[in-house]
């Protein structure tokens, strides 16, 4: 067989593997780490799952900022547990990502070098206690809308991780809303604090659902692989429709003068999102981009000697066991 | 023995859990690995959970109309009765682990005795906490071994932390007049008989970790009288910020 014939045969094999793969996804069967998958599928999943994992661990920082100052013991414990859940989510998402043939160190390197992205919302500062309520209510609320469809995505480890993540996120969202409710039933100062937090987090939360459909580069392919079930704009509308009545119950005013229920469409119309701000923050010019990355880098770099010690100790113990066995 | 005696005794135990819990909480999101971050946060959650049980009991005992949060957040620095060890800063992971280990071994012994208290509240809290603290002790002890017998760098850092924190160990066993009163009533614990077992245990583990025992002619104390290191004021100004800035509100 000459080279050309060999190449043709290889192409044919890949084509048939690809057909089997596509058929599996169409039948709603899961793709598992050991299954054959196109290179692009693997890369897209590494990108998305790692971006998600990074968002979880960078997301620990703005909320972690309030653990030491939480206003009551009950709130302190709940916030600690919430931030710990995020670390847990990061852990299973990194593990899911590692099944695609990339190490945690490589993933961290990508985060630290700026090659990998994380959710831009975590580059906004948490200024008051009400921000902790607003993040739970709005940011976790938007995250759930993004994530629930992923429980049935095609890549098995990601889908299974998301089932657990979503359960915990919905608990976090209720907890955040309950913080807001408590503030809104409190003194005028507390209500003002809640309103101010809503004013600052509302628009970034809407941006969290991603760029508008005509600017979203990955949507078509992601829909095919069930990494996405609805477009960014559809998800955003769903989030707004669900959240506006919740703000009404709190007695808070949405910071959007164009927000209005549209009887014809059955949805809320809303004002224009400041996409310039969104892209600025994505490009690294948000208030806390530098701090977030340097906090992650510090944790990793300052922990290097600890990780090295653990490895050295484990090796010594293994040597001892071998010697004892001999 | 009055309720006030009992309350003061509780502060001597519960404030340790509060301040150490607060200290460890500062690290959440900044640990050397995700796994240690999650584990340390668990320890903080356990300690703060214990604190709540103790302070709820204080609120019950008090003649004033107190809540657990008044007890946690609205005392002045001199009114906190934690030992100096737990307020020491998170200098690096070695200090965090050694501080934890020195405290955990004592804490476990104390709770073992408190489980036999005549006071049913103490019995219940001790019983629940023992399960948690036996894990804390295993975690911190295992990490001390890894750091001590790991690399040259980790050994040096662990030794430094042991040397610096050793001076705060003796205070764990200091009995105030009030402690003696409560112990004699069968409610509290006489810690004197625990001391030699404590030093035997930590000395064995430190030596087993290839580290040396520091020779200290003098031990630091004062926390149990409310005379704290300068770190304490900063811990409190951080921790009490919301309650002080917005008094009498519900959160």
């Amino acid at each position: 067989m000459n080279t050309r014939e060999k190449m043709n045969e290889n192409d044919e094999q890949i084509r048939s593997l690809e057909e089997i793969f596509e058929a599996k996804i169409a039948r709603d069967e899961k793709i598992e780490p050991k299954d054959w998958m196109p290179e692009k599928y693997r890369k897209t999943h590494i990108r998305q799952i790692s971006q998600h994992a990074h968002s979880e661990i960078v997301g620990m920082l703005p909320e972690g900022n309030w653990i030491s100052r939480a206003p009551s013991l009950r709130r302190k414990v709940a916030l600690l547990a919430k931030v710990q859940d995020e670390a847990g989510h990061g852990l299973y998402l990194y593990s899911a990502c590692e099944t695609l043939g990339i190490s945690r160190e490589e993933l961290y390197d990508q985060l630290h070098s700026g090659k990998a992205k994380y959710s831009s919302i975590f580059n906004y500062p948490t200024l008051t206690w009400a921000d902790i309520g607003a993040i739970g209510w709005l940011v976790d609320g938007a995250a759930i809308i993004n994530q629930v469809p992923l429980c049935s995505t095609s890549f098995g480890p990601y889908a299974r991780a998301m089932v657990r993540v979503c359960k915990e996120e919905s608990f976090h969202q209720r907890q955040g809303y309950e913080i807001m409710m408590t503030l809104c039933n409190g003194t005028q100062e507390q209500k003002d604090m809640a309103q101010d937090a809503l004013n600052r987090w509302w628009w970034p939360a809407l941006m969290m659902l991603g760029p508008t459909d005509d600017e979203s580069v990955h949507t078509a392919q992601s829909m095919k692989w069930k990494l996405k079930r609805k477009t960014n704009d559809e998800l955003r509308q769903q989030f707004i429709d669900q959240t506006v009545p919740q703000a009404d119950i709190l007695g808070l005013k949405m910071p959007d003068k164009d927000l209005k229920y549209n009887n014809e469409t059955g949805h809320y119309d809303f004002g224009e999102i400041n996409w310039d701000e969104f892209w600025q923050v994505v490009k690294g010019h948000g208030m806390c981009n530098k701090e977030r990355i340097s906090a992650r880098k510090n944790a990793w770099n300052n922990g290097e000697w600890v990780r090295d010690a653990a490895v050295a100790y484990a090796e010594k113990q293994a040597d001892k066991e071998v010697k004892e066995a001999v | 023995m009055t309720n006030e005696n009992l309350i003061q005794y509780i502060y001597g135990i519960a404030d340790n859990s509060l301040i150490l819990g607060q200290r460890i909480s500062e690290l959440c999101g900044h640990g050397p690995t995700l796994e240690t971050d999650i584990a340390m946060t668990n320890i903080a959650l356990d300690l703060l959970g214990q604190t709540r049980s103790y302070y709820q009991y204080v609120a019950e005992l008090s003649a004033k109309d107190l809540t657990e949060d008044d007890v946690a957040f609205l005392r002045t620095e001199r009114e906190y009765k934690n030992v100096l060890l737990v307020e020491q800063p998170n200098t690096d992971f070695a200090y965090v682990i050694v501080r934890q280990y020195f405290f955990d071994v004592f804490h476990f012994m104390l709770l073992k005795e408190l489980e036999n208290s005549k006071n049913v509240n103490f019995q219940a809290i001790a019983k629940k906490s023992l399960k948690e603290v036996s894990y804390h002790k295993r975690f911190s002890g295992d990490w001390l071994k890894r750091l001590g017998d790991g690399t040259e760098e980790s050994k040096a850092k662990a030794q430094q932390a042991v040397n610096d924190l050793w001076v705060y160990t003796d205070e764990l066993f200091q009995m105030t007049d009030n402690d003696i009163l409560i112990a004699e009533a069968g409610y509290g614990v006489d810690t004197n008989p625990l001391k030699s077992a404590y030093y035997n245990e930590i000395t064995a583990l430190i030596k087993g970790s290839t580290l040396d025992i520091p020779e200290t002619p003098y031990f630091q104390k004062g926390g149990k009288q409310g005379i704290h290191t300068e770190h304490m004021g900063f811990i409190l100004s951080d921790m009490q910020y919301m309650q002080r800035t917005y008094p009498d509100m519900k959160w």
Side-chain angles (χ1 to χ4, degrees):
Chain A
M1 215 189 297
N2 64 30
T3 319
R4 178 171 294 231
E5 280 171 336
K6 228 179 206 170
M7 276 170 68
N8 283 343
E9 199 185 40
N10 275 346
D11 282 355
E12 209 133 287
Q13 269 175 354
I14 289 178
R15 255 200 301 280
S16 81
L17 284 168
E18 213 159 336
E19 274 165 24
I20 297 170
F21 169 85
E22 300 288 356
K24 247 184 159 176
I25 293 186
R27 287 196 303 270
D28 260 336
E29 282 174 31
K30 296 291 177 233
I31 305 298
E32 295 300 333
K34 284 185 177 162
D35 295 345
W36 183 89
M37 62 184 77
E39 195 49 22
K40 197 174 170 207
Y41 180 91
R42 198 180 72 87
K43 286 205 168 123
T44 302
H45 278 75
I46 289 179
R47 196 192 69 236
Q48 175 158 339
I49 300 171
S50 69
Q51 191 168 318
H52 191 167
H54 298 327
S55 300
E56 295 284 355
I57 61 161
V58 175
M60 293 169 75
L61 300 168
E63 290 179 278
N65 180 34
W66 277 89
I67 293 171
S68 68
R69 288 176 292 171
S72 70
L73 287 176
R74 176 174 160 254
R75 293 293 185 202
K76 191 189 286 290
V77 167
L79 181 57
L80 254 178
K82 184 194 172 191
V83 178
Q84 186 192 38
D85 282 347
E86 284 157 10
H89 298 170
L91 197 57
Y92 5 110
L93 289 166
Y94 281 124
S95 304
C97 205
E98 282 172 285
T99 67
L100 290 163
I102 186 164
S103 70
R104 224 198 282 180
E105 284 73 16
E106 287 172 276
L107 293 168
Y108 278 152
D109 276 348
Q110 292 179 354
L111 171 67
H112 298 161
S113 68
K115 189 181 163 214
K117 299 280 176 231
Y118 55 89
S119 185
S120 259
I121 195 130
F122 301 120
N123 294 314
Y124 289 83
T126 48
L127 302 179
T128 71
W129 172 251
D131 290 27
I132 300 305
I135 288 180
W137 173 36
L138 302 173
V139 177
D140 290 307
I144 293 166
I145 295 221
N146 254 335
Q147 291 169 3
V148 165
L150 292 172
C151 297
S152 56
T153 190
S154 61
F155 186 53
Y158 193 27
R160 289 187 289 271
M162 290 319 295
V163 171
R164 183 152 170 200
V165 169
C166 283
K167 276 186 197 156
E168 293 179 350
E169 294 291 9
S170 82
F171 179 73
H172 297 163
Q173 200 225 357
R174 283 203 296 275
Q175 197 171 283
Y177 191 69
E178 201 250 326
I179 291 178
M180 295 302 271
M181 185 67 93
T182 309
L183 294 173
C184 291
N185 288 331
T187 64
Q188 190 58 44
E189 243 177 323
Q190 286 173 303
K191 279 179 211 158
D192 293 346
M193 197 189 275
Q195 181 66 57
D196 173 62
L198 172 60
N199 295 350
R200 283 180 291 111
W201 289 96
W202 174 245
W203 292 104
L206 295 188
M207 294 174 199
M208 246 185 101
L209 282 313
T212 51
D213 293 346
D214 40 342
E215 293 214 29
S216 177
V217 283
H218 305 299
T219 296
Q221 181 68 80
S222 295
M223 294 281 243
K224 198 169 144 206
W225 287 337
K226 298 177 179 170
L227 257 176
K228 240 182 191 175
R229 297 270 163 132
K230 288 180 180 172
T231 69
N232 293 348
D233 288 334
E234 285 169 335
L235 293 171
R236 192 165 10 252
Q237 189 66 58
Q238 187 188 335
F239 175 67
I240 294 170
D241 290 346
Q242 148 189 323
T243 311
V244 175
Q246 295 171 351
D248 291 341
I249 293 170
L250 293 172
L252 296 177
K253 201 172 161 332
M254 285 297 186
D256 178 358
K257 60 177 172 33
D258 298 320
L259 188 81
K260 203 176 162 223
Y261 189 72
N262 184 327
N263 277 318
E264 273 172 39
T265 60
H267 296 292
Y268 283 89
D269 293 334
F270 55 98
E272 205 169 319
I273 294 173
N274 183 351
W275 290 109
D276 282 345
E277 177 183 315
F278 174 75
W279 291 112
Q280 283 302 312
V281 180
V282 170
K283 282 176 193 151
H285 308 301
M287 192 180 269
C288 300
N289 292 60
K290 280 186 188 150
E291 268 161 288
R292 302 292 184 238
I293 286 298
S294 80
R296 285 310 318 157
K297 275 191 197 163
N298 281 343
W300 188 244
N301 294 339
N302 294 338
E304 192 178 4
W305 68 270
V306 178
R307 298 189 299 274
D308 289 348
V311 171
Y313 178 79
E315 281 168 1
K316 284 182 200 176
Q317 295 306 305
D319 280 352
K320 261 187 212 163
E321 271 170 37
V322 170
K323 275 181 198 151
E324 275 163 21
V326 173
Chain B
M1 186 179 60
T2 65
N3 279 3
E4 188 51 34
N5 291 125
L6 215 45
I7 289 172
Q8 287 303 320
Y9 183 72
I10 296 171
Y11 289 162
I13 297 175
D15 291 352
N16 287 336
S17 295
L18 173 68
I19 300 302
L20 187 54
Q22 174 78 5
R23 264 295 187 225
I24 306 171
S25 305
E26 293 169 13
L27 295 168
C28 183
H30 305 275
T33 64
L34 269 179
E35 289 83 349
T36 47
D37 212 314
I38 292 170
M40 291 298 298
T41 305
N42 258 342
I43 296 176
L45 282 167
D46 289 341
L47 291 170
L48 293 169
Q50 294 163 15
T51 306
R52 293 187 67 189
S53 306
Y54 287 119
Y55 289 172
Q56 282 161 11
Y57 185 35
V58 168
E60 259 175 54
L61 290 169
S62 174
K64 294 177 214 150
D65 189 18
L66 292 180
T67 67
E68 61 177 56
D69 291 323
D70 297 331
V71 179
F73 298 103
L74 294 176
R75 279 179 289 154
T76 61
E77 181 168 339
R78 293 292 312 278
E79 292 169 311
Y80 287 84
K81 300 294 157 61
N82 55 283
V83 292
L84 303 178
L85 175 69
V86 296
E87 67 200 45
Q88 297 310 304
N90 302 318
T91 308
D92 65 19
F93 192 69
Y95 279 77
V96 170
I97 288 301
V98 173
R99 181 184 63 200
Q100 193 66 41
Y101 180 67
F102 284 173
F103 180 70
D104 292 341
V105 175
F106 165 77
H107 197 192
F108 186 79
M109 288 177 169
L110 178 83
L111 292 170
K112 266 269 179 231
E113 296 299 317
L114 201 62
E115 208 180 11
N116 305 319
S117 164
K118 280 187 194 163
N119 180 300
V120 287
N121 288 64
F122 287 169
Q123 277 173 24
I125 299 173
K127 194 162 188 260
K128 176 181 161 283
S129 308
L130 266 171
K131 285 187 203 143
E132 299 166 346
V133 175
S134 69
Y135 165 75
H136 303 175
K137 194 171 98 161
R138 186 153 51 95
F139 177 85
S140 60
D142 284 351
W143 266 105
L144 183 51
K145 287 186 221 161
R146 288 187 195 106
L147 299 183
D149 196 13
T151 62
E152 279 307 307
E153 186 184 8
S154 69
K155 186 187 171 90
K157 284 188 190 311
Q159 185 67 61
Q160 188 66 52
V162 167
N163 292 352
D164 288 350
L165 295 171
W166 185 264
V167 295
Y168 300 111
T169 52
D170 189 70
E171 189 191 15
L172 292 163
F173 298 92
Q174 195 193 5
M175 295 282 288
T176 63
D177 291 345
N178 191 60
D179 290 345
I180 294 167
L181 182 81
I182 304 294
E184 280 172 356
Y187 276 39
V189 178
D190 178 3
T191 52
N192 279 315
L194 307 176
K195 197 167 168 176
S196 64
Y198 173 83
Y199 279 105
N200 286 342
E201 185 171 341
I202 66 170
T203 302
L205 192 126
I206 292 170
K207 285 186 176 161
S209 313
T210 74
L211 298 170
D212 298 325
I213 304 298
E215 282 172 30
T216 310
Y218 187 75
F219 288 97
Q220 295 293 339
K221 50 191 73 159
K224 297 193 89 167
Q225 280 74 39
I227 299 170
H228 294 279
T229 59
E230 289 179 352
H231 303 296
M232 189 67 180
F234 293 96
I235 295 176
L236 295 184
S237 54
D238 203 20
M239 190 175 79
Q240 297 183 340
Y241 163 69
M242 289 294 291
Q243 291 277 342
R244 297 286 184 197
T245 313
Y246 305 98
D248 302 323
M249 296 185 199
K250 291 212 160 46
W251 300 98

